[in-house]
């Protein structure tokens, strides 16, 4: 008797019934999964086809745009349009909010290829997304949603093809990819309580530019935990979810060249920080900004606003929050 794995669609249909979700969500998820698979194909063949280089342009954050960023953006907007379920999309690769279908049901906030410093080397990058739903009871003003109002958030680690999805009040689930490129075997992710596997993840070359309190906290704690840093949020947070510990991208406030200070942080709130914060909450963890304020409670004023982030196991986030609030 052949054994068949539970597929993502089976899992979502079960979830739908339990949470009386409609087929609309399934169609949107199908568009996001198709986007990630298509981007993965281009990334895997990127070196051969010469797509891993710079596109010779700068984006809304005044950063060098990679050819793959453009390809990933084009692919994602294509599939979101064809789903016909999206009102508008906020993307790292588009200065303006991308208006799609005013009759749509969802808002999508995404980073089509996160971890740009890894792209030229074909190393792991990520596709990050957050989803919010329109107001079905009354008028909809299209305002930018805080992370706590997302109904789902997820990430694909490219090119390893791992997919992790968090659903509001229904947990964070990791899916494996089978020989037919189908996501199967949903596995519930809960941050481990046992501190033995915990890791710290941050760009250590920035540590002397962090706030003194943060530098002291790292000096006191780093000998307790292993240190790992890939330089791509999706990859680093993928580990934090599995092993526990904390990923942090603190504010840069003591840089010898004051022009390089980033008191507001580096990562983008809506399609990077709120995405991992949502997934972390559903896996039993927590996430705060440089003032110790919960990331999910921050109401975005600008689609591309930045934030510092400390995300991971509750005891560690609580510990650093004491320092940040002092
Ligand atoms: P991009 O979206 O431009 O790639 O920036 C985000 C990011 O690459 C994160 O994935 C990663 O955590 C961080 O920046 C790495 O920054 P740094 O190279 O300064 O350590």
């Amino acid at each position: 008797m052949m054994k068949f794995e539970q597929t993502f669609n089976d899992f979502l249909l079960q979830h739908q019934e339990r949470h009386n979700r409609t087929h609309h969500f399934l169609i949107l998820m199908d568009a996001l999964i198709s986007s990630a698979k298509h981007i993965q194909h281009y990334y895997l063949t990127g070196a051969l086809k010469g797509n891993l280089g710079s596109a010779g342009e700068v984006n809304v954050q005044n950063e060098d745009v990679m050819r793959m960023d453009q390809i990933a953006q084009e692919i994602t907007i294509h599939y979101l349009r064809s789903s016909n379920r999206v009102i508008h999309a906020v993307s790292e690769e588009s200065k303006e909010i991308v208006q799609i279908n005013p009759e749509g049901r969802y808002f999508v906030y995404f980073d089509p290829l996160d971890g740009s410093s890894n792209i030229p080397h074909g190393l792991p990058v990520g596709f990050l997304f957050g989803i919010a739903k329109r107001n079905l009871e009354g008028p909809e003003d299209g305002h930018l949603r805080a992370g706590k109002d997302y109904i789902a958030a997820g990430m694909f680690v490219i090119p390893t093809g791992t997919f992790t999805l968090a659903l509001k009040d229904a947990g964070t689930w990791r899916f494996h990819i089978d020989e037919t490129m189908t996501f199967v075997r949903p596995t519930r992710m809960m941050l481990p309580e046992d501190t033995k596997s915990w890791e710290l993840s941050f760009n250590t070359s920035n540590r002397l530019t962090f706030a003194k309190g943060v530098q002291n906290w790292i000096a006191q704690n780093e000998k307790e935990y292993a240190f790992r840093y890939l330089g791509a949020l999706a990859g680093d947070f993928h580990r934090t979810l599995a092993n526990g510990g904390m990923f942090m991208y603190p504010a840069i406030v003591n840089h010898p060249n004051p022009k390089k200070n980033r008191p507001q942080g580096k990562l983008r709130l809506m399609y990077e920080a709120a995405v991992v914060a949502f997934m972390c909450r559903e896996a039993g963890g927590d996430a705060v900004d440089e003032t110790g304020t919960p990331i999910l409670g921050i109401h975005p004023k600008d689609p591309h606003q930045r934030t510092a982030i400390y995300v991971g196991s509750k005891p560690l986030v609580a510990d650093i929050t004491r320092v940040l609030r002092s």
Side-chain angles (χ1 to χ4, degrees), residues 15-89:
H15 170 79
Q16 312 277 81
E17 270 129 36
R18 260 200 312 274
H19 298 268
N20 68 28
R21 285 266 163 78
T22 64
H23 65 288
H24 298 294
F25 189 70
L26 199 68
I27 292 169
L28 175 60
M29 283 311 307
D30 192 52
L32 289 165
I33 288 174
S34 302
S35 303
K37 287 181 180 174
H38 210 151
I39 293 167
Q40 168 137 328
H41 163 71
Y42 271 87
Y43 196 57
L44 279 171
T45 57
L48 202 61
K49 294 193 177 144
N51 283 329
L52 297 186
S54 167
E57 293 166 24
V58 292
N59 68 13
V60 59
Q61 284 100 13
N62 205 22
E63 285 149 350
D64 196 13
V65 175
M66 305 302 285
R67 179 75 192 100
M68 272 306 302
D69 287 327
Q70 293 177 325
I71 292 170
Q73 172 72 2
E74 217 174 310
I75 287 171
T76 310
I77 293 298
H78 161 73
Y79 284 106
L80 292 183
R81 279 194 199 291
S82 55
S83 80
N84 217 17
R85 292 304 186 282
V86 178
I87 301 167
H88 72 221

Side-chain angles (χ1 to χ4, degrees), residues 26-299:
L26 199 68
I27 292 169
L28 175 60
M29 283 311 307
D30 192 52
L32 289 165
I33 288 174
S34 302
S35 303
K37 287 181 180 174
H38 210 151
I39 293 167
Q40 168 137 328
H41 163 71
Y42 271 87
Y43 196 57
L44 279 171
T45 57
L48 202 61
K49 294 193 177 144
N51 283 329
L52 297 186
S54 167
E57 293 166 24
V58 292
N59 68 13
V60 59
Q61 284 100 13
N62 205 22
E63 285 149 350
D64 196 13
V65 175
M66 305 302 285
R67 179 75 192 100
M68 272 306 302
D69 287 327
Q70 293 177 325
I71 292 170
Q73 172 72 2
E74 217 174 310
I75 287 171
T76 310
I77 293 298
H78 161 73
Y79 284 106
L80 292 183
R81 279 194 199 291
S82 55
S83 80
N84 217 17
R85 292 304 186 282
V86 178
I87 301 167
H88 72 221
V90 168
S91 164
E92 181 182 297
E93 297 309 325
S94 167
K95 184 169 186 323
E96 306 309 325
I97 295 177
V98 184
Q99 303 300 336
I100 300 180
N101 170 11
E103 306 314 311
R105 190 181 178 85
Y106 304 106
F107 303 103
V108 178
Y109 315 120
F110 70 97
D111 183 348
L113 211 69
D114 179 73
S116 40
S117 63
N118 285 356
I119 296 175
H121 317 290
L123 289 170
V125 291
F127 178 104
L128 303 164
F129 64 90
I131 300 168
K133 193 158 72 178
R134 71 173 309 142
N135 176 4
L136 297 172
E137 271 81 47
E140 172 53 61
D141 61 2
H143 69 279
L144 300 173
R145 265 51 174 191
K148 65 179 175 51
D149 300 325
Y150 292 9
I151 59 167
M155 65 182 188
F156 299 86
V157 179
I158 293 169
T160 56
T162 52
F163 168 39
T164 309
L165 177 70
L167 297 159
K168 193 173 182 90
D169 308 330
T172 295
W173 300 80
R174 186 156 287 169
F175 298 84
H176 306 284
I177 202 158
D178 73 6
E179 62 279 8
T180 67
M181 291 290 282
T182 303
F183 289 110
V184 297
R185 198 185 300 168
T187 308
R188 180 102 191 232
M189 303 297 293
M190 287 303 287
L191 286 155
E193 286 177 14
D194 180 346
T195 63
K196 259 205 322 299
S197 64
W198 287 10
E199 298 169 342
L200 291 183
S201 182
F202 61 96
N203 182 338
T204 192
S205 66
N206 292 338
R207 81 168 55 205
L208 298 179
T209 71
F210 300 155
K212 287 286 174 247
V214 175
Q215 291 185 42
N216 298 341
W217 185 91
I218 291 172
Q220 282 146 24
N221 288 275
E222 65 183 333
K223 55 189 173 305
E224 308 298 326
Y225 312 107
F227 174 81
R228 294 285 182 277
Y229 192 68
L230 259 173
L233 178 61
D236 285 314
F237 184 67
H238 180 92
R239 290 185 68 99
T240 307
L241 262 183
N243 297 342
M246 183 162 67
F247 169 90
M248 45 186 157
Y249 206 106
I252 293 179
V253 292
N254 287 313
H255 198 286
N257 168 356
K259 283 206 191 76
K260 293 206 170 167
N261 276 334
R262 288 185 145 167
Q264 80 291 4
K266 174 186 181 180
L267 301 185
R268 275 51 59 128
L269 173 64
M270 293 195 76
Y271 42 80
E272 292 174 330
V275 169
V276 293
F278 186 99
M279 298 167 77
C280 196
R281 180 196 68 192
E282 292 292 335
D286 221 338
V288 296
D289 72 358
E290 195 71 16
T291 64
T293 303
I295 293 280
L296 294 177
I298 302 173
H299 284 273

